Amino acid sequence: TGFGQTGPLRLLRDGHRSGKSRRDEDSEVDVIKRLCALVVLLSVLGCSTSRPEITETSLTDDTPVTGQRVYMEVNSITDNPPMTYSWTASGGTFEQLQDYPQAVYWKAPDSAGRYEIRVVVTDSDGNSTTHAFTLEVEERSLKSDLLPEGASALCLAKQSDSYVGGVWVSVGGAKIRYLNSQTSRESIWEKDFSVMVARQSEATGYYTIWGASAGSRSITMLTSEAASTLSCNTCGAFDVIRALAVDVLNPSVLWVGSDSYLSYFNLESGHWTAYIPVKVYGLSEGPDYVYAATENGIYRLDGGTVPITTQKATAVLAAGGAEGTVVWSVSGGKVFRNAVALSSQPGVVVDSLDEDISGGVWCGKYRWDGSNWTAVEGLESVRIVKSVASTEGLIYLLSDSGVLYRW
């Protein structure tokens, strides 16, 4: 291959007519044979029989606790693309990533022990290679050494835009910290917030935090470059900002709940809008809309101004369910589900609700599994005022004295 009619084959055919001797012809035939053998060898080498090579592996935690979510990924190369990936595990469950088969989320089982997660990488010729992740799953336990000695936590914000996210913690007189299963590190910002919310920019990858200090009617916006102040033009003169949320459908809209108004601020236009004159106690970013707990009941912030329930609510949680959005709330010292009080109530009801990755609902230190409330062991004499269930599967619990726990 690669030789035209002026190449060695033509020399062979025209040998006698060009007056060459038999010896010359034999020499040319030998050269041709060698060239043909080389072509065959190159053809064979071009069809590689080598297996795919896994060049890099990563995971977010190799010693997770029961029920924790772990992200794992393999990077591989081959001479014969495309490649397929088949994941199996000796326990736990998988959550596949659409259009990214080389990575998965694995949720640890409810029993501690050693588990193996295997991935088989196969190329288009059927050649395959295997990699195994071995993880030691530990029982959950209560930890309280999450912050530097003497530090006091003021408020928590969930890293809700990551599937294995942690929490942001405002620490009194110190820099805001970020915590997950593997780290507790300082940010570049030092601000005392009583309420805050954080979002990552899809364009830059950097986070912005919006927060309000205790007793304040202004919002501080923290970015990687600067800190700026958003004065609430729709708040009353003596209002205190009590809740913040980023709109589910339009991330350029920041919802603000204060003592006398539910308002929103357009981050692109810089314009404030007073939505409803009402005292707001809490906001929840649901699967479809933001929901507000107010003195007039619960509002779904879909453009309407009529509450979906009319009983005063001091906390709200909008969560996805098989039948659609389920609205949890705290009213009159009781926990409600879709406006119906649960037949069983936690030992202490606080104005805090969240849902963990297994579908359990948290009210302070108590977890509802669908039929019963159970308390975290070790917190019997501690009053927990805020619980945040991270998307990683860990539960962060803030006490009334500023001690931060993790379970």
Side-chain angles (χ1 to χ4, degrees):
T1 61
F3 294 108
Q5 289 300 307
T6 58
L9 294 178
R10 182 166 182 173
L11 289 176
L12 178 60
R13 289 197 301 269
D14 296 343
H16 288 294
R17 284 176 292 200
S18 58
K20 294 178 182 170
S21 67
R22 175 64 59 185
R23 189 170 185 177
D24 290 336
E25 292 177 3
D26 290 345
S27 177
E28 289 177 353
V29 169
D30 185 58
V31 169
I32 292 170
K33 287 182 178 179
R34 291 177 183 233
L35 287 173
C36 289
L38 178 61
V39 170
V40 171
L41 177 60
L42 291 174
S43 298
V44 171
L45 291 177
C47 299
S48 172
T49 58
S50 63
R51 298 181 299 172
E53 178 186 355
I54 295 177
T55 59
E56 186 180 8
T57 65
S58 62
L59 73 167
T60 52
D61 194 343
D62 59 359
T63 56
V65 296
T66 54
Q68 182 179 330
R69 180 182 284 147
V70 178
Y71 173 85
M72 50 190 69
E73 179 179 352
V74 296
N75 294 318
S76 53
I77 57 175
T78 181
D79 294 330
N80 306 297
M83 292 175 284
T84 60
Y85 300 80
S86 177
W87 294 84
T88 58
S90 59
T93 57
F94 287 117
E95 297 168 85
Q96 301 286 347
L97 281 77
Q98 188 175 4
D99 300 326
Y100 200 68
Q102 59 265 45
V104 294
Y105 292 105
W106 177 73
K107 185 183 170 195
D110 293 332
S111 299
R114 176 174 292 184
Y115 294 90
E116 186 176 84
I117 297 88
R118 298 173 68 87
V119 56
V120 179
V121 184
T122 305
D123 65 19
S124 60
D125 277 359
N127 306 310
S128 64
T129 190
T130 301
H131 178 78
F133 295 92
T134 301
L135 281 71
E136 294 287 346
V137 176
E138 302 174 351
E139 291 286 355
R140 286 185 182 253
S141 60
L142 188 66
K143 298 185 182 299
S144 60
D145 56 348
L146 306 179
L147 302 177
E149 186 176 355
S152 178
L154 302 177
C155 76
L156 310 177
K158 181 188 295 192
Q159 186 189 6
S160 58
D161 51 7
S162 170
Y163 216 50
V164 283
V167 294
W168 298 91
V169 184
S170 179
V171 182
K175 291 182 178 178
I176 295 171
R177 300 185 75 89
Y178 173 77
L179 278 70
N180 64 13
S181 64
Q182 296 296 293
T183 188
S184 172
R185 66 176 184 268
E186 287 185 337
S187 70
I188 61 174
W189 309 295
E190 183 173 341
K191 199 70 177 178
D192 290 358
F193 288 145
S194 60
V195 60
M196 65 179 176
V197 65
R199 278 298 181 280
Q200 185 180 36
S201 167
E202 293 184 359
T204 66
Y206 292 111
Y207 271 87
T208 297
I209 292 181
W210 298 270
S213 301
S216 175
R217 61 185 295 273
S218 296
I219 298 168
T220 300
M221 184 172 72
L222 304 172
T223 70
S224 59
E225 298 176 348
S228 56
T229 301
L230 307 176
S231 296
C232 182
N233 297 337
T234 56
C235 297
F238 302 101
D239 271 7
V240 171
I241 293 176
R242 301 190 179 278
L244 297 170
V246 176
D247 191 77
V248 175
L249 302 179
N250 184 358
S252 65
V253 170
L254 179 68
W255 288 95
V256 180
S258 69
D259 288 333
S260 60
Y261 270 97
L262 173 60
S263 310
Y264 62 88
F265 179 74
N266 190 301
L267 298 166
E268 293 181 350
S269 67
H271 181 68
W272 283 94
T273 300
Y275 189 70
I276 301 172
V278 66
K279 183 173 184 176
V280 180
Y281 294 96
L283 295 169
S284 173
E285 298 169 4
D288 50 359
Y289 299 99
V290 173
Y291 290 73
T294 78
E295 61 182 352
N296 293 344
I298 296 173
Y299 290 88
R300 180 172 52 236
L301 308 186
D302 56 1
T305 57
V306 177
I308 59 175
T309 67
T310 56
Q311 184 178 7
K312 175 183 175 181
T314 51
V316 63
L317 166 67
E323 67 273 38
T325 301
V326 177
V327 180
W328 298 80
S329 61
V330 173
S331 299
K334 292 184 178 181
V335 178
F336 287 71
R337 182 184 187 275
N338 288 337
V340 178
L342 298 182
S343 58
S344 173
Q345 294 290 325
V348 177
V349 177
V350 298
D351 295 332
S352 172
L353 294 168
D354 204 1
E355 182 185 37
D356 63 34
I357 63 173
S358 297
V361 172
W362 288 80
C363 180
K365 62 185 175 184
Y366 296 89
R367 181 182 187 270
W368 174 255
D369 63 5
S371 57
N372 296 292
W373 291 95
T374 56
V376 176
E377 293 184 6
L379 295 176
E380 291 79 8
S381 60
V382 178
R383 178 175 172 80
I384 297 297
V385 295
K386 178 77 172 179
S387 51
V388 172
S390 74
T391 58
E392 192 180 25
L394 305 180
I395 313 302
Y396 295 83
L397 306 127
L398 177 60
S399 77
D400 58 356
S401 62
V403 177
L404 182 62
Y405 299 87
R406 183 170 66 204
W407 186 77

